[in-house]
Amino acid sequence: FWNNQSQDKSAEIFKSFHDKRFKYFLAKEHTSLYMARNLAIKKTKGSLIAFLDTDDYWSKDKLKNEIETFLNNPESMVVYGNYFIVNEKLKIKKLAHKNETLKSGLIYKDLLKNYNIGFPTVMVRQKIFKKLNFKFDERFEIIGDFDLMIKLSKNYKFSSLKKPIAYYRTHNQNTSLLSKKRHYEEMKIWTNENFFKDKDLNNNIYLKKKYVNLLNELKFISILIEGKKLEAIKVLLNFNN
């Protein structure tokens, strides 16, 4: 458990479980999410790593099912699965994705077309970080999960579980809802560095259209939130469909 200088009762709750397998670490100072994850990963010793933020929770058989999937697919570097989106205030629970959209194998192009990985469901081999030297990009505050999964999918195989194995809780404090402008700025950096410089992707009319529209959509929302309606309409007119 990596405590990123939280002010809630996380430490108290965690320490109530008396199990020598459970390890507790307190950050020296509060950091960004992705710096915290990189620091926490350095403390890991197991051959497999899974992630769980304090907002979310796993199904009881999540770890068991993913470990079995790794044993049956030794060439896979990442296992992920379906999940439920839960709004506890409205008492609504819905399945995040249709099962046929959860692809296995080399899924780079599939993820670019339809990114559907819920990070609470992810389990990865530790050597991704320890031997292959991947890490979360600490420049990002919102899209670091997306960035890492896309980069891994370029060269490594993924395995998917169709059944829901985690629960993602939504509320009005979710980071992705608080900072649409930040989301736009990060995606602009990511597309410039990873998409528009890739000739193969840039020549793919469908994907190019999709990501240009995505940037325009995020820009439109962030400007609209600021109350700049005329400027938002100008952005809307730049959409490709």
Side-chain angles (χ1 to χ4, degrees):
F1 183 86
W2 183 266
N3 186 340
N4 194 18
Q5 291 283 341
S6 64
Q7 300 300 310
D8 57 20
K9 294 183 178 181
S10 296
E12 181 183 332
I13 294 168
F14 184 83
K15 289 177 180 179
S16 71
F17 294 92
H18 302 290
D19 190 315
K20 291 181 180 180
R21 295 171 300 174
F22 294 175
K23 309 297 181 185
Y24 176 85
F25 301 95
L26 178 64
K28 293 180 180 179
E29 59 182 357
H30 178 76
T31 67
S32 66
L33 170 63
Y34 297 114
M35 182 180 290
R37 283 196 182 157
N38 286 333
L39 290 169
I41 286 166
K42 290 180 180 179
K43 300 292 185 181
T44 61
K45 295 181 180 179
S47 62
L48 301 171
I49 298 177
F51 302 87
L52 185 64
D53 295 332
T54 50
D55 274 353
D56 309 319
Y57 53 104
W58 291 334
S59 64
K60 291 182 179 180
D61 57 357
K62 188 259 191 193
L63 297 176
K64 175 179 179 291
N65 287 333
E66 291 192 314
I67 289 169
E68 289 176 350
T69 303
F70 269 123
L71 291 173
N72 293 327
N73 299 275
E75 75 285 355
S76 289
M77 294 293 280
V78 179
V79 174
Y80 72 105
N82 216 335
Y83 59 98
F84 286 113
I85 299 172
V86 180
N87 187 317
E88 292 178 340
K89 186 176 181 180
L90 298 177
K91 296 182 180 179
I92 295 174
K93 181 178 78 172
K94 66 176 182 178
L95 195 62
H97 303 290
K98 295 180 179 179
N99 285 338
E100 61 268 20
T101 66
L102 302 176
K103 306 292 186 180
S104 294
L106 294 170
I107 61 172
Y108 177 56
K109 289 281 183 70
D110 295 298
L111 288 184
L112 286 174
K113 290 177 182 177
N114 178 30
Y115 185 79
N116 54 12
I117 295 182
F119 214 68
T121 74
V122 167
M123 183 182 280
V124 302
R125 296 192 188 276
Q126 188 201 44
K127 65 181 180 181
I128 283 173
F129 303 104
K130 302 286 183 168
K131 292 182 180 179
L132 301 176
N133 294 318
F134 280 89
K135 69 174 188 175
F136 291 97
D137 192 325
E138 295 174 6
R139 296 175 300 169
F140 299 140
E141 295 179 11
I142 296 173
I143 68 166
D145 304 339
F146 165 83
D147 172 66
L148 180 64
M149 291 295 100
I150 293 293
K151 286 177 179 175
L152 286 174
S153 70
K154 278 187 175 182
N155 299 300
Y156 302 106
K157 289 185 177 181
F158 284 44
S159 290
S160 66
L161 293 169
K162 309 305 182 187
K163 64 182 290 186
I165 54 175
Y167 298 78
Y168 174 77
R169 288 194 284 199
T170 63
H171 49 74
N172 60 5
Q173 294 301 311
N174 283 75
T175 303
S176 56
L177 296 177
L178 284 175
S179 186
K180 289 295 183 183
K181 186 173 183 179
R182 177 72 192 184
H183 193 177
Y184 165 64
E185 294 296 336
E186 290 185 12
M187 279 306 300
K188 188 165 65 171
I189 292 170
W190 188 89
T191 51
N192 284 335
E193 291 181 356
N194 300 282
F195 190 87
F196 294 131
K197 289 183 179 179
D198 187 320
K199 290 183 179 179
D200 182 40
L201 295 179
N202 226 2
N203 290 330
N204 186 313
I205 296 173
Y206 171 82
L207 284 177
K208 186 173 183 179
K209 185 176 182 180
K210 175 183 173 67
Y211 279 86
V212 168
N213 274 350
L214 175 61
L215 286 176
N216 279 328
E217 178 185 341
L218 291 170
K219 186 177 182 180
F220 169 75
I221 294 171
S222 63
I223 292 172
L224 198 61
I225 289 172
E226 293 176 349
K228 300 175 182 177
K229 295 181 180 179
L230 184 60
E231 191 174 337
I233 290 172
K234 291 178 181 178
V235 173
L236 196 62
L237 294 174
N238 286 326
F239 274 53
N240 282 329
N241 55 35

